[in-house]
Amino acid sequence: MIRIGVDVGGTFTDLILVNDTTKEIKVHKVPSTTQDQSIGVIKGIKELCELSNVALSEIDYILHGTTVATNITIEGDGAKVGMLTTKNYRDILHIARHKKVENFSIQQSLPWQDHPLVLRRHRLPITEKLAAPDGRIRTPLNEEEVRMAVEQLKAENVDVVIICFLFSFLNDVHEKRAKEIVQECWPEIQVFTSSEVAPRIREYERFSTTAMNAYVAPKVNQYITNLVSTLEDSQAKGNLQIMQSSGGMASAEQATTAPMNLLKSGPAGGVLAAAWWGTLDGIDNIISVDIGGTSADISIIPDNIPRVVNPRDAEVNGYPVVTPMIEVDTIGAGGGSIAYVDAGGAFRVGPKSAGSTPGPACYGQGGLDPCVTDANVVLGRLDPEQFLGGDLPLHPEKSAQAIKEKIAKPLNMSVEEAALGILKIINNNMALSIRENSVRKGIDPRDFALFASGGAGPLHSIDLAETIESKMVMIPNYPGITASSGLLVSDLKYHFNSSYITSLQGLTQESVVNVNKELLTLEEQAMDQLKQDGILEKDIVLERIAECRYIGQGFELRVPIPDGTLTKHSIQNLIEGFHLTHKQEYGHYFPGNTVELISLDIVATGLTPSLMLPDLEEGGSLNPEAAFLYERNTFFEVDGEIQEIPTPRYKRENLLANDVIEGPAAIIQRDSTTVIPPNWEMKVSKNGTLLATKKTESSKFLVDRMHLSKVGVENE
């Protein structure tokens, strides 16, 4: 079997090919084509196949992580959405929850009001009403109003129509009928109902999720359709699968039915890779920092299990989106982040990026602004002739000129001081994000290893680890294409949800039977979908989850449902599981309170082949001569002073298991460069991972014990 993982970033498109028969692994990078990501994807796939001497027709799977949906929300250029909603409730998307990030600010931007997903004139009221708690019809659907509304939306030339009625999660009869009418009157328009997209309680979140799904749908679906057709035209016969926000893959067909599930497609692959590499090297607690050309994706991974955001807390750019998402914080910090002096004279870096075009000044493509990559070039941490294996030669004189004119002169600094300042600012920006995602949630980053990935990750990782006091840094085998590697360790995964509101105390036998029927229906849907995707029944894993709360509470918690057919006894176990989850989440629970079931969720996983890394030959050398390339002066800060130090370069491909390299040093490979400061050293694991620690007895102890204990358990 031959598989390709391809991940699109803001600057580069990263690719990895794995041939399970020959055990060959090839990596490649091409500049991203922001005007149409598929151009860069196809170009990269073709070039990688040529490098690997493999025909496109021999590829079995193409696994893809994309930022198309994310970019639409950032740039605000999504579809013009028309909405049919219950009469007197057209302003739910505007009113929201009356909650603001800054409670006492009267100037902050509220995205759902300043940049609504559906303009008010496109939100049309329809006479209809269902009643809680059972969804019975109180007011029948006025079908003529639906037809009139369709004509009005036609005149407004909307791109897609959504139908969001109150209580449709209890009974979708009105939404289904309204959709039928819309399709009769306007066959070519795409239509989504809230009961299809997010069949959950809470109308604002359900409406917002449906609106976001429609907002990104036309462009996302067009992108996937174009990619599929172009691959077919190129004689590629492999199955195309798309990474979802949840960390699971979806077939291309399934991805187009719910494009909102791709909103965090890009960062998810890097998090999966970090968790996989941690397991591979016996390191349990990981902070993943994936630094690319435009942004840095940061995720805390305790026990090598990526954290999934509770659906109630999931949001994209301020808009609630009730869909499973891996917990990732993305900030504007990358190799292309622009350094500047603001109007007040403050030294700043990012979030604006030079991207791949024109890119940093050193690219020689017309960029005049100094970027983080320029700072690394000026400080000698990036060798111009080695960047991307020499495919993109850098121009250090342009970097020095840009930093001198835009930073050093205005702030009365030397060029080297300004360059070091750029790195300090960008590293502190990332450190603040790490603390926000760890310390504020009761996690001590000192007990976690820092997993450095992305093309710029190994350049910054050790300085960043010093800032957050992490004891170890991990550099994977292919840091520049780690997110692509993560695609190869993921499985197909789908979520099937159904609202089912009932008290769990004193359930009648009839109610127990009905809950089992609802679970069985969801399980059958899950099995059918995975079988359609070619997954054998033995490779299908179903996880059953109940969303529960105490009666009167505002929000639910997710609790595993016991295996097998539910009985009154197993439902009691479910209740006890909820009490335990409540205690873990909030520190207390109420054993005497009534527990209420709100919804049922099936997480369906189709197991697929994973990545296999060969063990390296045994080496065990200190600063191995076989890997030595040359020596070059590099600037480091030592005891508060900038020093220019002769620094050896090593070729990563020539390093062997248990080799140790003492800093200062730089380890060079095609997709990245790892910088080791003077007071650190690097050891190579048997799998090829680079493990960096400070030059102390305790750190050496940690490296030697890496397969026996998790990082951070030993308090020095």
Side-chain angles (χ1 to χ4, degrees):
M1 182 180 291
I2 303 176
R3 293 170 292 151
I4 287 180
V6 51
D7 179 77
V8 179
T11 306
F12 289 104
T13 294
D14 307 326
L15 303 101
I16 178 171
L17 182 146
V18 175
N19 189 325
D20 294 328
T21 303
T22 64
K23 309 301 181 187
E24 182 183 29
I25 297 175
K26 287 281 188 180
V27 301
H28 190 48
K29 293 172 82 78
V30 296
S32 294
T33 49
T34 53
Q35 71 278 12
D36 182 355
Q37 289 186 5
S38 65
I39 296 173
V41 170
I42 297 297
K43 179 177 184 288
I45 290 174
K46 288 180 177 179
E47 290 180 2
L48 181 57
C49 286
E50 289 176 7
L51 289 171
S52 307
N53 293 318
V54 171
L56 258 173
S57 57
E58 297 179 69
I59 305 300
D60 296 291
Y61 287 96
I62 296 172
L63 312 175
H64 183 25
T66 175
T67 56
V68 169
T70 310
N71 292 344
I72 292 169
T73 64
I74 292 172
E75 296 165 9
D77 61 350
K80 184 191 292 187
V81 182
M83 178 180 185
L84 307 185
T85 191
T86 305
K87 188 176 181 180
N88 298 324
Y89 291 90
R90 69 188 296 194
D91 288 323
I92 282 175
L93 287 179
H94 182 86
I95 296 169
R97 290 287 172 195
H98 282 303
K99 288 176 65 177
K100 300 190 296 184
V101 177
E102 301 170 33
N103 286 331
F104 303 104
S105 171
I106 62 174
Q107 296 180 323
Q108 67 176 298
S109 171
L110 301 177
W112 57 89
Q113 293 182 0
D114 296 343
H115 306 285
L117 297 172
V118 187
L119 297 176
R120 191 173 193 272
R121 65 177 177 271
H122 298 153
R123 303 195 296 260
L124 305 184
I126 303 295
T127 300
E128 68 84 38
K129 196 68 173 290
L130 302 177
D134 54 6
R136 67 186 182 277
I137 297 175
R138 175 182 290 177
T139 304
L141 175 69
N142 189 321
E143 297 188 1
E144 187 55 33
E145 287 185 5
V146 176
R147 292 184 175 90
M148 293 171 60
V150 173
E151 293 306 315
Q152 188 173 338
L153 293 176
K154 267 189 180 181
E156 291 285 347
N157 198 29
V158 301
D159 301 311
V160 60
V161 173
I162 62 174
I163 302 169
C164 302
F165 293 152
L166 285 184
F167 301 117
S168 63
F169 66 94
L170 295 172
N171 182 358
D172 63 356
V173 61
H174 281 177
E175 287 195 349
K176 279 184 175 177
R177 178 55 188 149
K179 181 176 181 178
E180 290 173 356
I181 295 171
V182 173
Q183 291 175 327
E184 289 169 7
C185 299
W186 199 356
E188 58 270 26
I189 197 69
Q190 191 170 20
V191 187
F192 296 103
T193 68
S194 71
S195 54
E196 292 171 334
V197 175
R200 293 175 178 269
I201 194 172
R202 295 184 187 87
E203 65 277 1
Y204 169 57
E205 287 76 11
R206 179 159 42 90
F207 290 8
S208 176
T209 302
T210 310
M212 179 62 78
N213 189 67
Y215 187 71
V216 302
K219 286 191 174 182
V220 170
N221 292 353
Q222 182 184 20
Y223 170 74
I224 294 175
T225 301
N226 288 345
L227 187 58
V228 170
S229 62
T230 307
L231 286 169
E232 289 176 350
D233 293 342
S234 303
Q235 306 303 313
K237 298 186 172 100
N239 291 326
L240 175 66
Q241 296 178 356
I242 313 292
M243 173 60 73
Q244 302 174 96
S245 307
S246 63
M249 306 300 296
S251 64
E253 181 182 2
Q254 190 67 17
T256 59
T257 64
M260 63 160 186
N261 289 331
L262 309 185
L263 286 165
K264 291 290 182 72
S265 169
V271 178
L272 293 176
W276 185 83
W277 249 283
T279 301
L280 187 70
D281 286 303
I283 298 170
D284 294 340
N285 293 325
I286 305 289
I287 297 174
S288 172
V289 183
D290 187 340
I291 310 174
T294 304
S295 61
D297 300 319
I298 297 167
S299 184
I300 313 299
I301 313 173
D303 299 321
N304 289 333
I305 300 174
R307 297 191 296 185
V308 177
V309 178
N310 191 309
R312 72 175 188 228
D313 299 322
E315 58 88 23
V316 175
N317 295 338
Y319 302 95
V321 181
V322 186
T323 185
M325 291 184 177
I326 284 183
E327 193 168 286
V328 183
D329 185 29
T330 300
I331 64 172
S337 294
I338 295 172
Y340 63 100
V341 179
D342 69 14
F347 189 175
R348 300 188 182 277
V349 181
K352 187 177 180 181
S353 172
S356 57
T357 307
C362 59
Y363 281 14
Q365 298 176 166
L368 300 177
D369 293 313
C371 299
V372 173
T373 299
D374 293 308
N376 280 305
V377 170
V378 164
L379 294 174
R381 301 184 181 196
L382 269 179
D383 293 348
E385 72 280 8
Q386 298 285 358
F387 193 68
L388 286 184
D391 289 348
L392 182 59
L394 302 181
H395 304 270
E397 71 285 356
K398 294 183 183 294
S399 293
Q401 183 65 25
I403 293 176
K404 179 180 179 181
E405 294 296 329
K406 299 290 182 72
I407 305 295
K409 274 188 177 180
L411 297 179
N412 196 26
M413 293 178 167
S414 68
V415 171
E416 291 76 19
E417 287 173 333
L420 188 62
I422 292 172
L423 300 190
K424 282 186 173 182
I425 292 171
I426 203 74
N427 289 337
N428 273 285
N429 289 345
M430 289 185 281
L432 288 172
S433 178
I434 290 173
R435 293 191 180 105
E436 183 176 355
N437 286 278
S438 58
V439 176
R440 289 189 180 183
K441 297 178 182 179
I443 294 173
D444 190 342
R446 295 174 296 184
D447 295 338
F448 282 64
L450 188 67
F451 182 87
S453 60
L459 283 165
H460 296 260
S461 56
I462 293 181
D463 288 340
L464 183 56
E466 290 262 25
T467 305
I468 64 172
E469 300 181 64
S470 175
K471 296 181 177 67
M472 178 181 282
V473 174
M474 301 174 63
I475 313 291
N477 304 52
Y478 314 104
I481 49 88
T482 301
S484 299
S485 304
L487 303 174
L488 299 176
V489 302
S490 62
D491 297 308
L492 278 169
K493 185 178 289 186
Y494 301 112
H495 288 251
F496 296 86
N497 182 272
S498 173
S499 288
Y500 197 98
I501 301 176
T502 184
S503 169
L504 290 179
Q505 261 85 2
L507 273 181
T508 64
Q509 186 58 38
E510 181 183 1
S511 296
V512 174
V513 170
N514 288 336
V515 172
N516 278 310
K517 283 183 179 178
E518 195 67 29
L519 276 172
L520 183 60
T521 299
L522 293 172
E523 290 172 358
E524 289 174 347
Q525 292 175 5
M527 295 288 288
D528 289 345
Q529 179 60 56
L530 288 172
K531 287 178 180 179
Q532 286 178 27
D533 292 339
I535 302 298
L536 300 177
E537 190 167 336
K538 67 181 181 67
D539 294 325
I540 295 177
V541 177
L542 301 182
E543 181 185 4
R544 310 192 304 175
I545 295 172
E547 295 190 342
C548 304
R549 68 184 183 187
Y550 292 121
I551 285 182
Q553 276 190 316
F555 293 97
E556 313 69 63
L557 294 175
R558 294 169 63 81
V559 186
I561 297 175
D563 293 332
T565 302
L566 288 179
T567 63
K568 289 187 176 181
H569 176 71
S570 59
I571 286 176
Q572 185 57 43
N573 292 337
L574 174 61
I575 292 171
E576 292 172 2
F578 171 76
H579 291 318
L580 177 61
T581 301
H582 196 282
K583 184 175 181 180
Q584 291 172 340
E585 184 77 13
Y586 300 115
H588 60 271
Y589 70 106
F590 305 99
N593 284 21
T594 299
V595 177
E596 185 178 35
L597 173 66
I598 298 299
S599 67
L600 302 169
D601 192 15
I602 298 293
V603 183
T605 302
L607 303 178
T608 56
S610 187
L611 181 64
M612 298 290 290
L613 294 178
D615 289 347
L616 296 182
E617 293 181 25
E618 182 65 28
S621 302
L622 178 65
N623 300 329
E625 290 185 12
F628 178 79
L629 290 172
Y630 53 86
E631 191 173 83
R632 187 166 293 175
N633 287 353
T634 306
F635 289 89
F636 294 95
E637 186 175 39
V638 181
D639 297 327
E641 294 183 0
I642 299 179
Q643 296 185 15
E644 187 175 7
I645 303 173
T647 303
R649 267 57 171 168
Y650 295 89
K651 187 176 183 178
R652 182 161 185 178
E653 289 81 355
N654 293 348
L655 295 176
L656 302 177
N658 293 312
D659 282 348
V660 175
I661 294 179
E662 293 182 318
I667 300 174
I668 295 172
Q669 59 191 108
R670 175 179 173 77
D671 57 310
S672 190
T673 295
T674 301
V675 174
I676 311 171
N679 59 332
W680 284 67
E681 64 184 9
M682 191 80 74
K683 185 174 183 178
V684 185
S685 80
K686 68 174 184 178
N687 306 298
T689 311
L690 303 181
L691 302 165
T693 55
K694 280 189 173 181
K695 293 180 183 177
T696 64
E697 290 301 319
S698 57
S699 66
K700 290 179 182 178
F701 174 75
L702 281 171
V703 173
D704 293 336
R705 291 281 309 275
M706 68 182 180
H707 292 290
L708 303 178
S709 62
K710 63 185 179 182
V711 175
V713 168
E714 300 83 0
N715 292 319
E716 299 176 31

